[in-house]
Amino acid sequence: MLSALLWLPALGAAIVGFLPGNMNAMRLRSVASAFAASVLLLNIWLLVQFNPSLSGLQFQEYLPWIPQLGLSYNLGVDGLSLPLLALTGLLTLLVIFGTGEGVARPKLYYSMILLINAGVAGALMSQNLLLFVLFYELELIPFYLLIAIWGGKKREYAAMKFLIYTAVSGLLVLAGFLGVAWLSGSLNFDYSAITTKELSFKTQLILLTIVLLGLGIKIPLVPLHTWLPDAYVEASPATAILLGGILAKLGTYGLVRFGLQLFPETWSIVAPGLAIIGTVSVMYGALTAIAQKDIKRMVAYSSIGHMGYILVACAAGTKLALIGAVGQMVSHGLILALLFYLVGIIETKVGTRDLDVLNGLMNPLRGLPTASSLLVLGGMASAGIPGLVGFIAEFLVFQGSFAVFPIPTLLCILASGLTAVYFVILLNRTCFGKLDNTTAYYPAVKFAENLPAFVLAGIIFFLGVQPVWLVRWSEATTNAIVATLPAETNSRVAIVEGQSEISSTIDISNPSQLTH
């Protein structure tokens, strides 16, 4: 079953790429959508069949590949990877469906999107370190082409910068994995066979730092973030959704899987520094977003801030914080996708992203009332308004991190308030005000164009009022990961135990208990 999630989109990419050249873009989109829909249905089937009470891997598949190198075709999913797989399948389908009929070189375009789906799914399911790196690097060329061909005016510069940064990220992760295997004397790169316990403390710390640097570029975290504003802004809205909603999650997934879980002995040493870096990322993203005039660049910088929450939660390493980190990964992917999609609609219909030009789009006759209303909802979700998924994820992160890192957590809460500030600025200038009577006659947005945004908005609202569906898949897995942190190397164990008592009094399936 897991192989189908990998090879079905890859097959779809090949078929779409070799379809007759005279086939129009809409038919190509229908074929690509059929493959993406099939992958999403498989993900839904996995969610139904998955046993959330088990912390280990499920649906495992194993085949020897190159045993001399320790490389095997080893796949499996648990509560950490499954929600991200479902998010990947959903966003891929919505991106393909939401692409207009005027896209240039549609065969290559849809093939690259399906190939990205296959690569991300492969990385999330990989239980062999070399296999993970293989899929981790597979994303480079498709994303490079999507930015360089379908991007904005500075697309070549943005695409090359993205390529260089992410290539370095992959090399650092590979170097860290090779060091772990070779220094531990292992000839097998299967994750279940790798251990760092026999390595010296200094060696573990060096290897963990290398891996964290590589993953920090992919997330990205300050000061490794400089590729993000260029790539997100110059990329098409569809590509920006894939970059922020899917690709960045490989970095945060790796942070838990190959940082906290692979190096439990040294995690408590680097955790305070990571909490500081995460807090700096959160504050930097919020403050920089406030200063932007381009609404797409504003959303891009907001992404940096929200990814910082995940790092703070992982640094805290408590049960509630870690399940909040997984929830924030899903929440961030959904909200960012909605915002970028709506920014794309506004740019297409109005012809600008400049806050000094945009106004009055909520006008029911000559504006974009539906898109503007959905933009308001997306801004509220990003700001953490109760009843929406952003609030649930951030609440779990803050509640789980406060007992361990109170000052960074308080600063993150402050940054959450700043999020409301820049989205109020965006919404006030974009949606409200008076339209120009002579120029503001914008084309109507068809229902089909708004449909992906409706789907995302519906999921954001549903998970906000039913948070158990956000966390139920991950709770057993994240609890098991926290249990691997050794008390003798964790100077914060007493605080963590106190936090566990606090979290045990909170029923996350009961939204009435989740209030500020």
Side-chain angles (χ1 to χ4, degrees), residues 19 28 43 275 353 508:
L19 285 173
L28 287 170
N43 279 305
R353 303 192 306 257
I508 55 180

Side-chain angles (χ1 to χ4, degrees), residues 189-487:
F189 282 88
D190 285 342
Y191 188 65
S192 59
I194 292 289
T195 180
T196 60
K197 292 182 178 180
E198 297 181 358
L199 300 178
S200 68
F201 185 83
K202 181 179 179 180
T203 300
Q204 289 186 44
L205 194 59
I206 293 173
L207 293 173
L208 175 58
T209 302
I210 293 173
V211 172
L212 290 177
L213 284 173
L215 297 173
I217 294 173
K218 185 79 80 174
I219 291 174
L221 300 170
V222 176
L224 307 173
H225 69 287
T226 56
W227 65 268
L228 180 145
D230 295 308
Y232 281 31
V233 173
E234 296 303 323
S236 67
T239 305
I241 291 172
L242 296 175
L243 282 168
I246 293 178
L247 183 69
K249 301 308 175 291
L250 289 184
T252 53
Y253 166 82
L255 190 70
V256 179
R257 180 74 78 200
F258 308 116
L260 193 152
Q261 194 172 6
L262 188 59
F263 294 92
E265 303 285 338
T266 50
W267 186 259
S268 62
I269 301 301
V270 302
L274 294 178
I276 293 173
I277 294 173
T279 305
V280 170
S281 295
V282 170
M283 296 297 295
Y284 173 83
L287 292 173
T288 309
I290 291 175
Q292 302 307 309
K293 297 295 185 180
D294 183 325
I295 58 175
K296 193 174 184 182
R297 188 174 289 271
M298 180 182 287
V299 174
Y301 276 109
S302 76
S303 176
I304 297 175
H306 285 83
M307 296 300 276
Y309 294 139
I310 301 173
L311 184 60
V312 173
C314 292
T318 65
K319 293 180 179 180
L320 201 58
L322 203 57
I323 199 171
V326 179
Q328 178 67 9
M329 294 181 205
V330 177
S331 168
H332 174 267
L334 294 170
I335 296 171
L336 191 72
L338 176 62
L339 293 173
F340 272 133
Y341 187 81
L342 294 172
V343 168
I345 289 180
I346 292 172
E347 183 179 10
T348 300
K349 302 298 181 179
V350 181
T352 183
R353 303 192 306 257
D354 191 344
L355 279 177
D356 291 335
V357 177
L358 291 166
N359 60 8
L361 296 185
M362 192 69 81
N363 187 297
L365 298 178
R366 296 183 291 117
L368 308 175
T370 303
S372 298
S373 300
L374 292 170
L375 187 63
V376 171
L377 185 142
M380 292 170 61
S382 185
I385 300 300
L388 302 173
V389 69
F391 166 73
I392 299 300
E394 291 179 15
F395 178 87
L396 293 173
V397 169
F398 298 154
Q399 181 72 19
S401 302
F402 180 78
V404 183
F405 296 119
I407 294 178
T409 303
L410 289 174
L411 290 174
C412 288
I413 295 173
L414 173 62
S416 180
L418 294 176
T419 301
V421 171
Y422 62 75
F423 271 111
V424 166
I425 294 173
L426 185 153
L427 297 173
N428 184 53
R429 297 187 184 180
T430 301
C431 300
F432 303 101
K434 185 178 180 181
L435 283 172
D436 189 304
N437 290 328
T438 59
T439 61
Y441 289 90
Y442 304 129
V445 183
K446 300 177 182 178
F447 176 79
E449 293 176 294
N450 276 325
L451 184 57
F454 281 130
V455 173
L456 289 168
I459 296 174
I460 288 169
F461 180 75
F462 174 77
L463 293 179
V465 298
Q466 291 292 336
V468 66
W469 290 93
L470 179 67
V471 300
R472 70 186 300 264
W473 320 102
S474 307
E475 188 172 10
T477 299
T478 54
N479 287 348
I481 293 174
V482 172
T484 64
L485 297 176

